[in-house]
Amino acid sequence: MTKKRIVVLLSGSGSNLQALIDATQAGRIKGRIVAVISNKPGVKGLERARDAGIDALLLDHTRYASREAFDIALQELIDQQEPDLIVLAGFMRILTADFVRHYLGRMFNIHPSLLPKYKGLHTHQRAIEAGDSEHGCTVHFVTPELDGGPLIVQAVVPIDPGTSEEQLQQQVQIREHHIYPLAVEWFCEGRLALGETGVTLDGVQLPASGQRV
């Protein structure tokens, strides 16, 4: 089987990128990260890519007059890599609908909540303030609806009494580093797909909440 070509987009430290790099180097992911693209200069994620021998590319969004102009340039840069899968790993940009539709069914994001709960920002604080007993993270296919694409896999983290926002964030991030490589592994093995009726794994349609691990 030919290894799938993966492009990772990020805006910061790239801890999920590192989890993906580790999984590919260990042979768990039958794919190859061919490029890492950041919209911000000087971030740790680009350094992680260079350290792993991966092309580290910068496309500074501040140099573009509009969101649409940036997304057009980003799409051109990505398509030069001929990717099978695009992975958003802390990419802090809201993408235009045309861009998302171009990669529909082959672009993942990870969100720090049990979607559809707590779309958007400050998810850990919101879960604690709501008195929730559990929290977690979700990998999903990206669609034009923000944090609203079909769910692939979720990991649950219990919220113990007295847990701080920082502690919960750390616990969730540990789980992110497990389920993001897992979802990418499934895709690269041809086991995971997005169809008209939803997400399938090994030909079986997943529930709306995705696979729980």
Side-chain angles (χ1 to χ4, degrees):
M1 180 186 295
T2 303
K3 284 190 175 183
K4 300 290 189 185
R5 296 172 62 84
I6 304 164
V7 170
V8 178
L9 308 185
L10 51 75
S11 303
S13 69
S15 67
N16 272 306
L17 166 66
Q18 190 62 57
L20 293 170
I21 290 171
D22 293 346
T24 54
Q25 290 180 342
R28 295 197 304 274
I29 292 176
K30 304 301 188 287
R32 183 165 69 93
I33 303 172
V34 295
V36 172
I37 303 172
S38 174
N39 66 306
K40 292 185 176 181
V43 296
K44 176 72 172 178
L46 290 176
E47 182 182 332
R48 293 181 193 270
R50 286 190 290 267
D51 288 346
I54 300 167
D55 283 348
L57 308 175
L58 171 65
L59 193 71
D60 189 341
H61 69 274
T62 64
R63 298 181 179 272
Y64 293 84
S66 67
R67 188 179 302 278
E68 289 76 14
F70 173 77
D71 280 9
I72 289 170
L74 179 60
Q75 182 176 313
E76 290 176 353
L77 183 59
I78 292 172
D79 286 350
Q80 289 171 13
Q81 311 301 321
E82 301 180 340
D84 298 291
L85 179 66
I86 294 89
V87 177
L88 308 183
F91 188 62
M92 304 305 291
R93 297 279 300 173
I94 296 175
L95 297 164
T96 56
D98 285 346
F99 180 93
V100 171
R101 280 192 287 266
H102 182 69
Y103 298 112
L104 195 64
R106 53 191 181 114
M107 182 159 60
F108 289 174
N109 188 34
I110 191 163
H111 186 73
S113 79
L114 296 174
L115 290 172
K117 272 191 166 184
Y118 310 126
K119 298 178 182 182
L121 303 175
H122 311 298
T123 60
H124 313 302
Q125 176 185 344
R126 289 157 67 191
I128 291 172
E129 290 177 350
D132 291 354
S133 61
E134 64 178 23
H135 188 45
C137 47
T138 306
V139 181
H140 64 93
F141 281 101
V142 179
T143 64
E145 180 188 353
L146 181 65
D147 298 332
L151 309 188
I152 299 168
V153 59
Q154 293 188 321
V156 177
V157 173
I159 303 178
D160 298 323
T163 298
S164 68
E165 181 182 355
E166 182 180 3
Q167 288 171 328
L168 187 57
Q169 178 182 2
Q170 291 171 350
Q171 292 166 10
V172 169
Q173 193 171 68
I174 290 170
R175 300 298 284 148
E176 288 182 12
H177 297 166
H178 171 65
I179 67 169
Y180 219 177
L182 181 62
V184 173
E185 175 187 332
W186 290 342
F187 185 91
C188 289
E189 291 176 347
R191 299 173 58 194
L192 181 73
L194 176 62
E196 292 184 3
T197 59
V199 180
T200 58
L201 179 63
D202 295 329
V204 178
Q205 186 160 334
L206 294 178
S209 59
Q211 184 89 355
R212 284 280 181 106
V213 297

